[in-house]
Amino acid sequence: MALFPLLLLILMVPSSSNAQWPPSPGYWPGSRFRSMSFYQGYRNLWGYSHQRVDQNALTIWLDSTSGSGFKSVKPFRSGYFGASIKLQPGYTAGVITAFYLSNSEAHPGYHDEVDIEFLGTTFGKPYTLQTNVYIRGSGDGRIIGREMKFHLWFDPTKTFHYYAILWSPKEIIFLVDDVPVRRYPRKSATTFPLRPMWVYGSIWDASSWATENGKYKADYRYQPFVASYTNFKASGCSAYSPAWCHPVSASPFRSGGLTRQQYRSMRWVQRHHMVYDYCKDYKRDHSLTPECWG
């Protein structure tokens, strides 16, 4: 009889082969940078009546009259940019909650952009985390996206989780709770954003494409659609920094890149939770995305 409790305990303990969480990256770059309050680094950009700041947390929402967006007070030419974000549960189809870098106001029709976007969903289905990179107008009119999409290993509506972009002249790294999920290296000047960008966040109606390619639209019977942001970080070389300002890194290496342990975590996420990779979409014209070749 003494064997029964032991057997029950063994069955209750998950094996490492069935683990639901990525292996530890061994390094947490976010811990190197100080958090700031919203007004220390950002200002409202649009939809002021659909935005509220309580202590250090920002809440923005979308209803049938408007969404809302915010923008950093200064542009950067490299840096580490992050925020803890909590999403709305239930029916959110057609709704985009975003945290991203862009210079669309400085270069309209010819801009660069680096995106973290949460694509809304229907009841019982997970959010999709979309990462994307646009270079020199590839997102203006003639869309040449570089999307990599994930279903997260946790429910992003239950509590705050931390999402970040590391952008340097060598690479872009997307991180979730400081676990790297994607690395986009610079392979040429034509496929990499190099001009200064601001940090943005927003919530808006993208019913034409956001959820299953536009199959499901925003349904305002479920309004307001709410997103909360806190633990803001924006550290690096601003556009006004001296030329000797050294880009920050997502790893212990001052030169950038990732450690072997960070690569291991990233490969685990991509193996178990990636649901789309533009480089593996054979319907795409990859002459427009030469970085996929090698």
Side-chain angles (χ1 to χ4, degrees):
M1 294 296 292
L3 290 175
F4 179 74
L6 179 61
L7 178 61
L8 182 62
L9 180 62
I10 292 171
L11 291 173
M12 289 174 63
V13 176
S15 67
S16 59
S17 62
N18 294 321
Q20 298 300 307
W21 290 79
S24 169
Y27 184 78
W28 291 267
S31 64
R32 297 173 53 201
F33 306 110
R34 182 180 299 176
S35 297
M36 67 176 75
S37 68
F38 175 74
Y39 287 119
Q40 283 178 301
Y42 296 90
R43 295 292 184 270
N44 173 266
L45 182 63
W46 60 282
Y48 185 81
S49 64
H50 289 59
Q51 185 174 118
R52 182 179 68 249
V53 177
D54 296 316
Q55 297 180 342
N56 291 330
L58 169 75
T59 301
I60 58 176
W61 60 92
L62 166 71
D63 60 25
S64 59
T65 64
S66 180
S68 188
F70 58 92
K71 178 184 178 182
S72 63
V73 296
K74 60 184 177 182
F76 294 83
R77 63 174 187 260
S78 66
Y80 177 93
F81 314 100
S84 294
I85 303 172
K86 183 180 179 183
L87 304 175
Q88 176 161 313
Y91 188 98
T92 55
V95 178
I96 296 287
T97 303
F99 184 78
Y100 62 105
L101 312 178
S102 179
N103 50 32
S104 59
E105 293 176 277
H107 304 285
Y110 195 59
H111 84 286
D112 308 297
E113 189 167 309
V114 180
D115 295 329
I116 289 177
E117 296 174 309
F118 301 93
L119 311 186
T121 188
T122 57
F123 293 114
K125 293 185 179 180
Y127 271 90
T128 297
L129 172 68
Q130 175 169 279
T131 64
N132 204 353
V133 180
Y134 290 123
I135 296 100
R136 293 186 175 270
S138 66
D140 301 306
R142 190 171 70 110
I143 301 296
I144 306 172
R146 293 166 169 82
E147 305 92 342
M148 190 176 282
K149 303 178 184 181
F150 303 87
H151 286 163
L152 296 166
W153 51 95
F154 53 82
D155 184 346
T157 71
K158 294 293 186 182
T159 189
F160 284 92
H161 287 269
Y162 191 72
Y163 307 90
I165 298 167
L166 185 288
W167 171 44
S168 79
K170 294 182 178 180
E171 62 191 353
I172 298 166
I173 298 172
F174 298 87
L175 304 107
V176 176
D177 289 334
D178 265 344
V179 174
V181 299
R182 178 185 182 182
R183 179 175 180 266
Y184 181 87
R186 176 182 175 180
K187 295 187 176 181
S188 74
T190 60
T191 61
F192 197 86
L194 295 170
R195 298 175 296 180
M197 291 190 280
W198 286 258
V199 191
Y200 292 82
S202 62
I203 188 167
W204 55 289
D205 186 333
S207 290
S208 62
W209 63 271
T211 306
E212 298 186 32
N213 295 317
K215 180 179 179 180
Y216 298 100
K217 315 293 185 183
D219 187 339
Y220 288 99
R221 292 178 298 174
Y222 301 105
Q223 69 178 16
F225 302 103
V226 179
S228 299
Y229 297 70
T230 190
N231 191 24
F232 292 96
K233 296 182 180 182
S235 298
C237 299
S238 79
Y240 316 119
S241 298
W244 48 258
C245 181
H246 194 278
V248 299
S249 172
S251 74
F253 310 133
R254 193 167 184 263
S255 59
L258 297 171
T259 67
R260 291 178 64 182
Q261 197 168 346
Q262 286 177 307
Y263 270 117
R264 179 169 172 257
S265 295
M266 185 173 70
R267 286 193 296 268
W268 186 95
V269 171
Q270 293 183 0
R271 185 182 312 119
H272 294 285
H273 293 277
M274 185 172 67
V275 296
Y276 179 81
D277 180 352
Y278 75 106
C279 282
K280 296 179 181 178
D281 185 345
Y282 300 107
K283 297 178 183 177
R284 298 278 296 265
D285 179 1
H286 289 298
S287 68
L288 303 174
T289 55
E291 70 277 3
C292 292
W293 298 347

